[in-house]
Amino acid sequence: RSLRGEKVSGEWTKSWVVPDRTEEEWSQMRGGLRQRFEELNALIQDFEPNQEQLTYLLANLCHASFHLGAIRQLMKLDPATLSSNR
């Protein structure tokens, strides 16, 4: 959103909350993630960023890669193990 010029802020305390989700809710979240990826991909096709935008874009790429790697690792765990660690 910030690459489109929108102001972005976060609710950092909520970022540590691990909500329970149904399979349908997880599916919707994955669909939303895919949609955001497609939007970003379309945006950057003909995008000529200034220095600040390029820095933001690269920082967020690294940040998202970290989280996606963590998610892949968590997917290998037994769901019962995850529930007991909350």
Side-chain angles (χ1 to χ4, degrees), residues 3 5 9 22-23 27 34 38 45 47 50 65 67 72 84:
L3 292 175
S9 63
T22 65
E23 283 298 319
S27 180
R34 169 56 77 177
E38 296 295 341
Q45 290 303 311
F47 188 60
N50 62 34
S65 297
H67 285 289
R72 287 191 54 94
S84 67

Side-chain angles (χ1 to χ4, degrees), residues 11-51:
E11 296 183 46
W12 305 118
T13 56
K14 289 184 178 181
S15 67
W16 297 104
V17 176
V18 181
D20 289 325
R21 300 280 186 210
T22 65
E23 283 298 319
E24 182 178 338
E25 289 171 323
W26 279 119
S27 180
Q28 290 173 350
M29 289 181 72
R30 286 190 303 270
L33 180 60
R34 169 56 77 177
Q35 181 180 347
R36 296 296 180 266
F37 168 77
E38 296 295 341
E39 289 171 3
L40 179 59
N41 191 33
L43 177 68
I44 63 174
Q45 290 303 311
D46 297 316
F47 188 60
E48 295 184 26
N50 62 34
Q51 185 65 42

Side-chain angles (χ1 to χ4, degrees), residues 66-86:
F66 166 80
H67 285 289
L68 291 173
I71 290 168
R72 287 191 54 94
Q73 292 298 317
L74 289 170
M75 289 172 62
K76 294 179 180 182
L77 296 176
D78 177 19
T81 303
L82 291 174
S83 295
S84 67
N85 288 326
R86 287 189 189 171

